[in-house]
């Protein structure tokens, strides 16, 4: 149990639509990042938020955007969905430095599986 | 370039045997190397990490070895159990994962199958 919950668990969209995925982290986890995991592949970093500001982005276009809220929840928004956006989207959080355990530990949710038709 | 890769996509072991999962990396600037386990239908779960200035670290039933000369990382699981069946990913990171704009770069993964 990581304390990170994501919703919805599964959803189906059609090409061109928009989607919002949600994540709720543990209290005190002020860093949240989003990953895209295609079938049979490792997770790929989309972006990271720290204290409600984006402070790192992977190789994803601007139609992937996010928000982080003061209550340790966050959103991933994807506009103009494409077929290749079909994947498992993972949210991962990390506590503030004073509460951190292992340096390499992120707490992942179970993901939202998006299918684009 | 920046990449983390695995040697074998699937590893089958007998219950009770030791498992060794290998990983090659290309980025000499990595500060941390991390192993994650992902069971079917779940998110990745942290197993163990190792800083780049170390060559060995042990946890409960697991040992990670780092060979910076050949840019190779391995995860050893002692007395493998059926509950160890999962996909194992190595990942690398530069800098602390808290606060800064850092990320994990994951490899493709190795499927570990434990046979009874």
């Amino acid at each position: 149990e990581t304390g990170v919950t994501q919703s919805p668990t599964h959803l189906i969209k059609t090409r061109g639509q928009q989607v919002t995925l949600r994540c709720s982290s543990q209290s005190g986890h002020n860093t949240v990042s989003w990953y895209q995991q295609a079938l049979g592949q490792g997770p790929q970093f989309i972006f990271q938020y720290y204290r409600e500001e984006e402070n790192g982005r992977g190789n994803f276009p601007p139609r992937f955007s996010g928000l982080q809220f003061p209550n340790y929840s966050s959103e991933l928004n994807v506009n103009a969905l494409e077929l290749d956006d079909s994947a498992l989207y993972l949210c991962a959080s990390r506590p503030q430095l004073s509460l951190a355990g292992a340096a390499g530990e992120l707490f992942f949710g179970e993901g939202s599986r998006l299918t684009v038709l | 370039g920046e990449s983390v890769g695995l040697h074998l996509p699937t590893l089958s072991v007998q219950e009770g045997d030791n498992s060794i999962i290998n990983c090659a990396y290309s980025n000499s600037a990595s500060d941390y190397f991390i192993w994650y386990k992902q069971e079917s239908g779940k998110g990745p779960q942290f197993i163990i990490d190792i800083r780049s200035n170390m060559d060995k670290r042990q946890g409960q039933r697991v040992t990670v070895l780092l060979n910076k000369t050949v840019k190779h990382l391995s995860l050893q699981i002692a007395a493998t159990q059926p509950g160890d069946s999962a996909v194992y990913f190595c990942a690398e990171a530069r800098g602390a994962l808290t606060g800064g704009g850092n990320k994990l770069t994951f490899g493709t993964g190795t499927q570990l199958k434990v046979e009874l």
Side-chain angles (χ1 to χ4, degrees), chain B residues 22-43:
Chain B
N22 296 304
C23 177
Y25 66 94
S26 60
N27 194 332
S28 299
S30 301
D31 294 306
Y32 291 95
F33 298 90
I34 311 107
W35 284 98
Y36 278 83
K37 170 186 178 182
Q38 187 173 25
E39 297 176 76
S40 180
K42 296 188 176 182

Side-chain angles (χ1 to χ4, degrees), chain A residues 2-6 22-26 29-36 43 45 47-50 68 72 74 89-95 104-111, chain B residues 36 43-45 97 102 104 106:
Chain A
T2 64
V4 179
T5 57
Q6 294 187 241
R22 294 180 172 82
C23 173
S24 177
S25 305
Q26 291 186 42
H29 284 211
N30 58 5
T31 301
V32 66
S33 49
W34 287 86
Y35 288 78
Q36 180 195 66
F45 176 77
F47 47 55
Q48 176 173 286
Y49 279 78
Y50 174 61
Q68 184 187 25
Y72 305 107
S74 59
Y89 288 86
L90 294 161
C91 169
S93 70
R94 176 136 174 91
E105 184 173 16
L106 291 181
F107 294 80
F108 282 87
E110 297 194 345
Chain B
Y36 278 83
Q45 178 185 3
L97 293 179
N102 295 294
L104 293 181
F106 283 85

Side-chain angles (χ1 to χ4, degrees), chain A residues 39-116:
Chain A
L39 200 61
Q41 301 294 317
Q44 287 199 342
F45 176 77
I46 303 175
F47 47 55
Q48 176 173 286
Y49 279 78
Y50 174 61
R51 292 182 175 175
E52 302 162 44
E53 291 190 4
E54 182 182 308
N55 70 346
R57 174 176 279 265
N59 189 26
F60 282 81
R63 60 189 184 84
F64 285 78
S65 63
L67 288 170
Q68 184 187 25
F69 304 101
N71 64 352
Y72 305 107
S73 66
S74 59
E75 289 181 355
L76 165 64
N77 298 288
V78 188
N79 294 322
L81 283 167
E82 300 176 0
L83 297 180
D84 286 348
D85 295 334
S86 295
L88 181 69
Y89 288 86
L90 294 161
C91 169
S93 70
R94 176 136 174 91
Q96 58 193 6
L97 188 60
S98 61
L99 302 176
E105 184 173 16
L106 291 181
F107 294 80
F108 282 87
E110 297 194 345
S112 294
R113 183 161 298 282
L114 171 65
T115 301
V116 182

Side-chain angles (χ1 to χ4, degrees), chain A residues 7-26:
Chain A
S7 63
T9 55
H10 296 81
L11 70 166
I12 299 173
K13 292 284 187 177
T14 57
R15 196 168 45 183
Q17 285 188 312
Q18 179 267 343
V19 68
T20 297
L21 307 178
R22 294 180 172 82
C23 173
S24 177
S25 305
Q26 291 186 42

Side-chain angles (χ1 to χ4, degrees), chain B residues 1-110:
Chain B
E2 180 183 287
S3 67
V4 180
L6 295 170
H7 291 306
L8 295 174
T10 304
L11 176 66
S12 294
V13 298
Q14 294 290 322
E15 182 182 5
D17 287 352
N18 296 334
S19 303
I20 300 176
I21 302 172
N22 296 304
C23 177
Y25 66 94
S26 60
N27 194 332
S28 299
S30 301
D31 294 306
Y32 291 95
F33 298 90
I34 311 107
W35 284 98
Y36 278 83
K37 170 186 178 182
Q38 187 173 25
E39 297 176 76
S40 180
K42 296 188 176 182
Q45 178 185 3
F46 173 86
I47 301 173
I48 191 169
D49 64 0
I50 186 169
R51 293 193 66 155
S52 59
N53 62 356
M54 301 171 65
D55 53 21
K56 181 179 180 179
R57 191 169 185 211
Q58 289 184 293
Q60 187 176 14
R61 279 203 307 120
V62 295
T63 300
V64 57
L65 299 177
L66 176 62
N67 186 331
K68 293 181 287 294
T69 302
V70 295
K71 296 182 182 176
H72 183 269
L73 184 71
S74 68
L75 177 70
Q76 300 177 5
I77 304 173
T80 311
Q81 302 169 359
D84 294 327
S85 294
V87 176
Y88 288 79
F89 293 98
C90 64
E92 62 92 8
R94 274 162 284 171
L97 293 179
T98 296
N102 295 294
K103 64 178 183 179
L104 293 181
T105 301
F106 283 85
T108 306
T110 292

